[in-house]
Amino acid sequence: MFSLEATEKGGGNRSSSSSAQAILPARARGTGDGCRPHRTELYHEVPPTCWPIVYSPDYNITFMGLEKLHPFDAGKWGKVINFLKEEKLIADDLIVQAREATEEDLLVVHTRRYLNKLKWSFVVATITEIPPVLFLPNFLVQRKVLKPLRTQTGGTIMAGKLAIDRGWAINVGGGFHHCSSDKGGGFCAYADITLAIKFLFERVEGVSKATIIDLDAHQGNGHERDFMDDHRVYIMDVYNRYIYPGDGFAKRAIKRKVELDWGTEDTEYLQKVQTHVEGALNESRPDIIIYNAGTDILDGDPLGGLAISPQGIVKRDEAVFRAARSHRIPILMVTSGGYQKRTARIIADSILNLHNLGLIDKELATSEAKNPKVELMIRESILDLTKLSLQ
Ligand SMILES: [Zn+2]
């Protein structure tokens, strides 16, 4: 097992092993003060036999029926995994076990002041929108509510590195796009998308530009506030213009903004997604895509207010993965919002569809190649040489 250590990064003290090469930092920690990234357990080596699908049973919030007091299906993530197992796509030992993000991991983005505020149950009750949390002692809030969210956050960070190594990765949870470095909200207590990008910028050579494609029904004001003045990150956001959060300040960070009306249906939606994903990738040419694949765009969702069919969601995910593949950019998908009982089945169907189409293929997943872009370049130059010799 290879785990990142401060001594192996930065300061010219580079290891010669090829597995280490892939995760050496391009630069010291973004502050420019020259300090090295901290030691983390989230960038450990993953066996090549594993799918780059990240999950842990710890994702699911179950405690004295607490989860039933929120419109959120707090067991959605486990159900997705069960469907994928039933379809024989995956097995327990073939998926990547998510690890909980530590306080030091979270401090890469969050302020200590914000993390300290989460030690107050009433703050967590407000952020998660589960009022009874207010009456729980904080040690239970930490264990039963925040630990699952921290594990999903660790999962997104891990999936960031896996996406670079394998060409794609899916965190079955995560996508807390309303949380920024110093403010949570809308069920989002940790800024997992910002964290995954900052980890990559700090630790992975060759990753200096990211594009966020946020297709959850809500505006992603958390990552928008975090990357407001950061030109390395290009944000495309497609959302219902009339619902939470309506964050006018955060909208200034969006490079490609697509605001939808109540009840938008498949044809208009898919056409807009396809056009703007293509436009965004042509404009930004990133080293990684972070795809926030919220399913609260589904018809009948009480919070999303849009009218997309299950098949429309499957087609949407397909369009984004196709664009990533045709531009040869690694993609990290997180599942984000989506609160109905049928949501888990739709997410599983979408992953199966991506697999059936070869957009997430086992061959690349188990490839020894550390960087799919390099592998593709090699394949293409071999093809070119073959053509030349035939002429
Ligand atoms: Zn949402």
Side-chain angles (χ1 to χ4, degrees):
M1 298 283 271
F2 179 86
S3 91
L4 273 185
E5 292 183 29
T7 51
E8 288 177 309
K9 305 184 306 303
N13 187 16
R14 297 190 162 194
S15 156
S16 59
S17 98
S18 64
S19 64
Q21 288 288 344
I23 50 173
L24 285 168
R27 62 192 64 77
R29 201 150 165 176
T31 53
D33 58 5
C35 72
R36 291 169 177 166
H38 71 284
R39 182 186 177 132
T40 183
E41 293 297 318
L42 300 177
Y43 268 27
H44 69 291
E45 189 78 346
V46 167
T49 46
C50 278
W51 285 88
I53 293 178
V54 186
Y55 170 75
S56 161
D58 289 346
Y59 280 14
N60 305 292
I61 300 171
T62 48
F63 181 60
M64 285 166 45
L66 202 63
E67 67 280 5
K68 298 192 181 79
L69 298 168
H70 190 277
F72 210 97
D73 175 5
K76 155 178 114 170
W77 310 286
K79 289 177 194 159
V80 172
I81 289 294
N82 284 339
F83 285 133
L84 294 177
K85 280 189 204 163
E86 277 169 27
E87 302 283 348
K88 306 268 186 282
L89 181 76
I90 56 166
D92 279 332
D93 54 347
L94 295 181
I95 59 173
V96 179
Q97 284 286 322
R99 299 179 179 193
E100 184 181 352
T102 63
E103 186 171 36
E104 221 182 345
D105 293 326
L106 297 169
L107 282 169
V108 167
V109 165
H110 289 293
T111 58
R112 201 172 283 280
R113 185 172 150 268
Y114 174 72
L115 296 180
N116 283 338
K117 276 204 287 191
L118 297 178
K119 292 175 182 161
W120 295 91
S121 296
F122 78 90
V123 173
V124 180
T126 310
I127 289 171
T128 56
E129 298 169 357
I130 311 174
V133 165
L134 173 63
F135 304 107
L136 291 182
N138 195 261
F139 79 92
L140 279 179
V141 173
Q142 292 292 333
R143 197 184 302 161
K144 298 295 181 179
V145 181
L146 292 178
K147 186 180 176 190
L149 301 182
R150 280 194 295 266
T151 309
Q152 294 194 33
T153 298
T156 302
I157 297 169
M158 291 165 70
K161 176 179 176 288
L162 278 168
I164 297 293
D165 289 348
R166 312 286 189 90
W168 65 276
I170 295 172
N171 180 15
V172 175
F176 305 128
H177 64 157
H178 298 306
C179 186
S180 60
S181 61
D182 64 352
K183 197 169 188 293
F187 196 74
C188 306
Y190 302 106
D192 66 325
I193 293 174
T194 310
L195 278 158
I197 293 173
K198 292 240 161 127
F199 265 70
L200 286 170
F201 284 175
E202 287 178 355
R203 293 165 190 270
V204 180
E205 197 157 22
V207 180
S208 59
K209 285 170 77 186
T211 291
I212 300 171
I213 296 176
D214 193 333
L215 303 188
D216 183 275
H218 301 87
Q219 179 202 347
N221 59 327
H223 56 73
E224 285 157 15
R225 282 175 173 260
D226 284 336
F227 293 118
M228 182 62 71
D229 297 311
D230 193 332
H231 298 295
R232 297 172 298 177
V233 181
Y234 180 107
I235 299 173
M236 164 178 161
D237 201 346
V238 184
Y239 55 88
N240 181 341
R241 69 168 82 212
Y242 299 110
I243 58 172
Y244 177 89
D247 188 335
F249 174 74
K251 284 182 189 178
R252 288 161 43 185
I254 308 174
K255 294 283 191 311
R256 198 170 270 262
K257 180 172 67 184
V258 184
E259 297 194 319
L260 304 172
D261 288 317
W262 293 114
T264 301
E265 294 180 356
D266 286 17
T267 312
E268 179 192 346
Y269 180 77
L270 289 172
Q271 188 263 320
K272 283 184 169 162
V273 165
Q274 258 163 354
T275 307
H276 289 285
V277 167
E278 197 56 36
L281 296 183
N282 282 331
E283 238 170 67
S284 57
R285 306 205 166 273
D287 303 309
I288 177 113
I289 296 165
I290 292 86
Y291 172 33
N292 196 47
T295 43
D296 50 3
I297 58 168
L298 182 64
D299 187 27
D301 189 286
L303 303 174
L306 302 173
I308 309 305
S309 70
Q311 195 51 30
I313 290 177
V314 171
K315 287 279 165 208
R316 173 195 69 168
D317 295 348
E318 184 185 321
V320 176
F321 271 77
R322 265 192 206 288
R325 173 65 66 90
S326 71
H327 286 260
R328 295 180 191 123
I329 303 165
I331 181 168
L332 154 62
M333 170 174 151
V334 289
T335 58
S336 200
Y339 313 100
Q340 300 186 65
K341 281 214 170 73
R342 55 190 178 141
T343 300
R345 180 73 243 182
I346 297 169
I347 295 171
D349 284 343
S350 180
I351 293 172
L352 290 165
N353 180 58
L354 294 174
H355 178 240
N356 290 339
L357 295 170
L359 291 167
I360 52 169
D361 50 78
K362 189 79 173 164
E363 190 193 35
L364 190 57
T366 57
S367 163
E368 288 297 320
K370 276 289 162 192
N371 188 332
K373 283 203 290 188
V374 172
E375 194 190 33
L376 275 169
M377 277 159 55
I378 294 168
R379 270 197 220 149
E380 276 171 6
S381 52
I382 292 171
L383 266 175
D384 288 345
L385 285 171
T386 319
K387 275 185 213 151
L388 275 175
S389 63
L390 289 172
Q391 278 170 357

